[in-house]
């Protein structure tokens, strides 16, 4: 995964390591490799502004660094890259989603999870995957079919639900999604169900009615976690949409889907840097087990490994 992004850092490391003739890196060499790193990051789908900031921080980290002429140059350079990324992204929280929601569950029941994002980004699949994880841990869940708009949305949810043996709370198409969410939470309360997952509509995001509708769902359901589901393949578009959503609804963190089909990897850095929200999981396939917890520090280490 993230092959292109890893190539960018690998090539940067190699080109510095290969050209070291003095104990300290020269300014001209630094600026040459800086431009190369920038280009490669952009090719790996990192947004231009973000690629700029990353290249600068990495170079600043390397400036004045003593690189052993005959020792293990690579690992000195790689450590500097990771240190630069750790610093640059230090204001982005890192959350272990599963342990966090289980902690919440110890304090209150049900824990309510709201899923937001445009059609096709992977909301419903992500709900199924997270539910599957929770069920493996012995927890129960109920789903709210709060996409009452798109034809087939309720049936799609029911398809996953029957495979996972989860109850779906639904109303008719065209009905108020906030009421569906409310009913699902009540249902969970009465039956002692641990988690409520709310599936929402995601038609044209510039549709102000949708934003008002989602905001109402959020007010009524008071979710413990509001999750924006972002399609990695649609990097910059997904970013713009997430920003637009956040004007109307609270977003606590992200799940980035379709990473299995996304060798570039750069959008992950863009999301982290631009949104300053934790990424809880990466979606890495269409199966229920294709969900990987995301850890920021580990991710940076993977990039230079
Ligand atoms: N390869 C891959 N496909 C995914 C992933 N997540 C979702 N999908 C697929 O993306 C399509 C849309 O997903 P869906 O959950 O229906 O999106 P929704 O409209 O936001 O609810 C489906 O075909 C899913 O199987 C993922 O992590 N990897
Ligand atoms: Mg859906």
């Amino acid at each position: 995964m993230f092959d292109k992004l890893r190539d960018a850092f690998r090539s940067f490391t190699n080109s510095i390591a290969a050209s070291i003739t003095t104990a300290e890196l020269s300014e001209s060499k630094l600026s040459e490799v800086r431009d190369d790193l920038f280009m490669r990051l952009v090719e790996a789908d990192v947004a231009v502004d973000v690629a700029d900031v990353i290249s600068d921080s990495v170079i600043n980290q390397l400036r004045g660094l003593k690189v052993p002429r005959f020792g293990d140059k690579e690992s000195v350079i790689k450590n500097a890259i990771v240190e630069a990324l750790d610093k640059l992204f230090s204001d982005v929280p890192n959350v272990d989603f599963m342990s966090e929601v289980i902690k919440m569950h110890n304090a209150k029941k049900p824990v309510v999870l709201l899923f937001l994002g445009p059609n096709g980004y992977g909301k419903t699949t992500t709900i199924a995957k997270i539910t599957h994880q929770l069920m493996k841990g012995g927890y129960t869940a109920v789903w709210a079919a709060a996409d009452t708009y798109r034809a087939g949305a309720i049936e799609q949810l029911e398809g996953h639900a029957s495979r996972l043996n989860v109850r779906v709370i639904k109303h008719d198409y065209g009905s108020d999604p906030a009421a569906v969410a409310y009913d699902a939470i009540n249902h969970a309360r009465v039956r002692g169900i641990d988690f409520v997952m709310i599936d929402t509509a995601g038609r044209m995001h510039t549709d102000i009615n949708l934003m008002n509708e989602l905001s109402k769902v959020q007010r009524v359901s008071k979710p413990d976690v509001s999750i924006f589901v972002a399609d990695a393949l649609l990097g910059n578009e997904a970013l713009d949409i997430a920003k637009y959503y956040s004007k109307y609804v609270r977003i606590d963190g992200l799940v980035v889907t379709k990473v299995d089909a996304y060798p570039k990897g750069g959008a992950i850095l863009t999301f982290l840097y631009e949104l300053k929200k934790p990424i809880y999981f990466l979606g890495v396939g269409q199966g229920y087990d294709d969900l990987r917890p995301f850890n920021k520090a580990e991710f940076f280490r993977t990039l230079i490994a």
Side-chain angles (χ1 to χ4, degrees):
M1 279 194 292
F2 338 116
D3 291 347
K4 194 111 199 219
L5 199 51
R6 295 169 66 174
D7 285 346
F9 288 110
R10 187 174 307 126
S11 145
F12 175 79
T13 304
N14 292 342
S15 100
I16 291 187
S19 69
I20 289 170
T21 49
T22 57
E24 221 168 279
L25 295 155
S26 75
E27 271 312 310
S28 66
K29 186 67 203 170
L30 283 175
S31 93
E32 177 195 322
V33 291
R34 186 241 176 253
D35 293 344
D36 187 56
L37 176 63
F38 168 79
M39 283 310 299
R40 286 176 189 272
L41 289 174
V42 171
E43 279 163 24
D45 207 27
V46 178
V48 169
D49 295 357
V50 181
D52 242 328
V53 187
I54 292 174
S55 310
D56 285 343
S57 328
V58 169
I59 290 302
N60 286 338
Q61 193 70 37
L62 285 170
R63 184 173 284 116
L65 187 78
K66 300 272 188 260
V67 180
R69 204 162 154 189
F70 301 107
D72 185 0
K73 295 176 202 166
E74 265 111 42
S75 66
V76 173
I77 298 163
K78 285 176 174 180
N79 287 341
I81 294 172
V82 168
E83 226 170 291
L85 292 173
D86 280 340
K87 269 192 221 162
L88 188 61
F89 291 82
S90 62
D91 54 351
V92 184
N94 192 69
V95 173
D96 179 340
F97 184 85
M98 280 299 165
S99 50
E100 208 54 37
V101 296
I102 287 164
K103 226 185 283 166
M104 288 172 180
H105 173 267
N106 293 334
K108 90 177 256 274
K109 230 167 95 170
V111 172
V112 178
L113 307 178
L114 176 65
F115 293 81
L116 303 161
N119 278 338
Y121 274 35
K123 285 181 301 301
T124 306
T125 311
T126 300
I127 288 173
K129 288 174 179 178
I130 293 178
T131 301
H132 178 60
Q133 293 270 317
L134 288 166
M135 288 173 84
K136 282 200 284 188
Y139 297 95
T140 52
V142 62
W143 293 351
D147 181 354
T148 60
Y149 183 85
R150 189 173 63 88
I154 299 175
E155 289 74 16
Q156 191 210 8
L157 196 64
E158 285 178 322
H160 287 294
S162 73
R163 265 167 262 147
L164 289 171
N165 203 16
V166 175
R167 177 83 179 263
V168 175
I169 303 301
K170 60 174 178 177
H171 293 183
D172 290 335
Y173 281 105
S175 63
D176 181 2
V180 183
Y182 186 83
D183 278 1
I185 293 165
N186 256 343
H187 176 92
R189 259 194 211 117
V190 173
R191 310 278 168 113
I193 290 168
D194 301 313
F195 288 90
V196 177
M197 333 293 242
I198 305 172
D199 191 27
T200 60
R203 53 187 183 270
M204 269 302 288
H205 71 281
T206 46
D207 177 347
I208 191 72
N209 291 326
L210 174 63
M211 290 302 126
N212 290 332
E213 179 185 304
L214 293 175
S215 153
K216 184 178 174 194
V217 170
Q218 193 165 64
R219 280 196 313 278
V220 169
S221 64
K222 300 185 183 66
D224 297 285
V225 192
S226 283
I227 300 152
F228 185 86
V229 177
D231 183 333
L233 296 165
L234 298 171
N236 278 324
E237 182 187 303
L239 172 69
D240 290 343
I241 295 177
K243 283 181 173 169
Y244 187 86
Y245 264 67
S246 30
K247 290 188 209 159
Y248 299 89
V249 289
R250 189 190 89 228
I251 293 174
D252 297 313
L254 312 183
V255 172
V256 180
T257 61
K258 308 185 195 178
V259 173
D260 52 306
Y262 180 63
K264 288 189 169 181
I268 296 169
L269 288 172
T270 305
F271 292 149
L272 287 174
Y273 189 80
E274 294 285 347
L275 297 171
K276 311 282 183 220
K277 301 285 183 196
I279 294 176
Y280 301 131
F281 292 106
L282 302 180
V284 295
Q286 297 183 297
Y288 294 140
D289 280 308
D290 296 329
L291 189 70
R292 303 271 171 281
F294 180 84
N295 177 290
K296 198 179 48 159
E298 260 171 39
F299 174 62
F300 296 154
R301 270 152 199 82
T302 310
L303 295 183
I304 53 96

